[in-house]
Amino acid sequence: MAKRGARRSAADDPNRPCPCGSGLPYADCCGPVHRGVGTAGTAEALMRSRFSAFAVGDADYLLRSWHSSTRPARLRLDPDERWTRLEILDTDAGGLFDTTGTVRFRAHYRESGRAGTLDERSRFVREDGRWVYLDALPD
């Protein structure tokens, strides 16, 4: 558990760039969304905030941003996985006035010293007026 705390402290450094790749500091980008004082205005913004949550080890935010019909009861993040970079490859809908959207992305990580990637097309919907992750679409 000490690793999780160390990851969060590093991400909360106001000078450190947000893991989502926006170029903004974490404290001005995904940090407020994780703390519940801001919201993701688009499906892509939610995807970015979820990637950042994986990067900083915020399982609580991941569960809160998951649709109630597909959300697991618990989520345990692997402390040996380090999410390092996000590429947004494509988006379909998911804008300010949409109710559904998809985001195709490639997430880069390191696990046990080895580099890896996760390619996924995620589906997002609005639930109670806010964007949430629904599920991954098959290729």
Side-chain angles (χ1 to χ4, degrees):
M1 287 300 173
K3 283 185 178 182
R4 178 177 288 164
R7 269 195 291 189
R8 178 167 296 286
S9 295
D12 283 336
D13 175 351
N15 298 318
R16 187 174 181 123
C18 190
C20 80
S22 69
L24 296 170
Y26 173 78
D28 297 331
C29 189
C30 292
V33 178
H34 291 172
R35 291 190 312 272
V37 297
T39 59
T42 65
E44 180 180 332
L46 183 69
M47 177 61 240
R48 288 181 177 279
S49 72
R50 286 178 57 83
F51 174 83
S52 290
F54 276 104
V56 301
D58 192 342
D60 291 337
Y61 174 76
L62 290 165
L63 289 170
R64 285 193 318 271
S65 63
W66 212 311
H67 193 273
S68 60
S69 70
T70 57
R71 178 176 45 235
R74 294 181 329 145
L75 181 63
R76 184 188 177 292
L77 300 178
D78 185 342
D80 294 327
E81 277 182 343
R82 296 286 182 234
W83 295 92
T84 58
R85 185 166 59 97
L86 176 66
E87 294 176 76
I88 301 296
L89 304 174
D90 189 35
T91 60
D92 181 29
L96 294 173
F97 302 108
D98 295 318
T99 57
T100 64
T102 60
V103 178
R104 190 169 146 253
F105 68 91
R106 180 173 296 129
H108 299 261
Y109 64 91
R110 294 195 68 74
E111 184 175 18
S112 302
R114 302 184 95 147
T117 59
L118 168 68
D119 287 74
E120 184 176 301
R121 192 165 52 118
S122 293
R123 192 164 47 154
F124 299 90
V125 298
R126 288 194 189 264
E127 183 175 52
D128 298 326
R130 65 183 182 91
W131 285 107
V132 291
Y133 169 77
L134 182 61
D135 56 16
L137 294 168
D139 287 334

